[in-house]
Amino acid sequence: MLEFYFWPTPNTWKVAIMLQECGLPYEVIPVNISAGEQFAPEFLAISPNNRIPALVDPEAEGGPISIFESGAILMYLAEKTGRFMPADLHQRYDVLQWLYWQVGNLGPMAGQLGHFRNYSEERIEYALQRYGDEYNRLLGVLNRGLEGRDYLAGDYSIADMATWPWVRSGEYMEQPLEEFPNVIRWFREVGERPGVKQGFALGMDWFGSGPPKAGNEKANRGNKNLFGHTAKAVAELSKKAADKS
Ligand SMILES: N[C@@H](CCC(=O)N[C@@H](CS)C(=O)NCC(=O)O)C(=O)O
């Protein structure tokens, strides 16, 4: 059975959604990133970047495989199932360019905005402006990409699954969508899919108070397991996690 290293966050919801959409059986292995479990040596062996999500497929073609990076995991699951990524070269690269756009642009910019807005102990106007502008610009790119299209790349695909959680995250960064009618339409439609609802619901109760809102993030302000990760700090956190286990 697939082993899914998970904590309820936008990058892991992408994979949770794909697993639900494909109806694949999987075991959830919680990695509590607020508690520093991403530094445990066993987890680092699978995900050297000390980030979730990660996936292990013990029954992969040619032997067991472990994968980190949400985009690579989505591609793997699409190839494994033959679903949500077209075989046709042109259509496939339409999906892949949007997938890479999400992983390299929307995710990191929204992530930095979330950091400076909800986690930073001091309010830094320049950073809020910079990442707020970038997030807004990227929503504009998405809006134009969805012009005259139901989904990002032809049919519903892993590109939509990757992008949806990071549009959803705009809500707890108080980023309104009004300027972007195509994004609103797409966001609602994708959000109505049973697989998206189920994937997004995974692990929500672990927060104790329902889906993440600004309040949940504020609880993590200054959390040393989440911030201040120099290479040396990661080595120390990893040693601490090893001593604990
Ligand atoms: N590019 C990576 C980003 C993964 C990522 O940033 N994951 C966050 C949760 S959304 C995480 O694991 N954070 C733990 C930490 O910062 O230590 C991907 O798409 O998988």
Side-chain angles (χ1 to χ4, degrees):
M1 193 188 295
L2 294 168
E3 295 159 16
F4 178 27
Y5 291 79
F6 172 88
W7 197 249
T9 68
N11 286 311
T12 46
W13 284 322
K14 302 172 192 177
V15 176
I17 290 169
M18 177 64 170
L19 289 165
Q20 291 297 140
E21 291 281 13
C22 294
L24 286 165
Y26 60 93
E27 178 194 357
V28 174
I29 303 178
V31 181
N32 184 344
I33 57 173
S34 300
E37 291 175 6
Q38 68 275 41
F39 301 106
E42 313 82 79
F43 180 67
L44 288 178
I46 293 165
S47 184
N49 195 35
N50 59 266
R51 297 276 192 275
I52 47 165
L55 186 85
V56 173
D57 184 354
E59 285 138 35
E61 217 182 290
I65 190 167
S66 77
I67 312 171
F68 68 101
E69 282 293 324
S70 59
I73 298 170
L74 289 174
M75 284 175 68
Y76 174 73
L77 293 173
E79 279 183 32
K80 182 180 171 77
T81 58
R83 300 190 63 193
F84 304 113
M85 186 169 69
D88 172 81
L89 179 88
H90 294 87
Q91 291 173 4
R92 188 164 71 252
Y93 276 88
D94 199 8
V95 169
L96 291 180
Q97 66 187 355
W98 281 108
L99 178 67
Y100 278 68
W101 171 82
Q102 187 290 314
V103 172
N105 295 270
L106 187 69
M109 293 302 134
Q112 292 303 323
L113 178 59
H115 173 83
F116 284 107
R117 187 171 184 98
N118 294 323
Y119 296 90
S120 171
E121 285 180 284
E122 56 179 307
R123 189 178 164 87
I124 305 167
E125 291 304 333
Y126 181 83
L128 288 169
Q129 187 74 46
R130 161 74 185 159
Y131 293 114
D133 286 354
E134 271 296 281
Y135 187 66
N136 179 276
R137 179 185 73 79
L138 290 162
L139 288 174
V141 173
L142 184 59
N143 197 56
R144 283 194 302 281
L146 287 166
E147 187 70 49
R149 282 180 153 197
D150 287 342
Y151 302 106
L152 266 172
D155 291 337
Y156 177 65
S157 73
I158 54 174
D160 299 287
M161 296 181 212
T163 304
W164 191 88
W166 282 107
V167 174
R168 159 67 180 65
S169 301
E171 197 182 304
Y172 58 96
M173 295 183 293
E174 288 156 48
Q175 294 291 307
L177 290 180
E178 278 94 75
E179 293 178 59
F180 310 111
N182 298 325
V183 175
I184 294 177
R185 184 233 331 133
W186 165 89
F187 179 69
R188 286 197 185 130
E189 196 177 319
V190 171
E192 283 306 314
R193 294 181 64 93
V196 173
K197 285 192 173 157
Q198 290 152 3
F200 183 59
L202 186 68
M204 275 309 177
D205 46 339
W206 302 351
F207 282 108
S209 55
K213 295 190 175 71
N216 295 97
E217 278 73 41
K218 286 195 175 83
N220 271 318
R221 269 189 212 279
N223 182 337
K224 295 278 180 296
N225 289 317
L226 285 172
F227 310 112
H229 293 166
T230 57
K232 197 168 158 207
V234 167
E236 281 160 12
L237 285 161
S238 178
K239 189 176 174 313
K240 211 166 105 188
D243 292 346
K244 231 163 98 183
S245 62

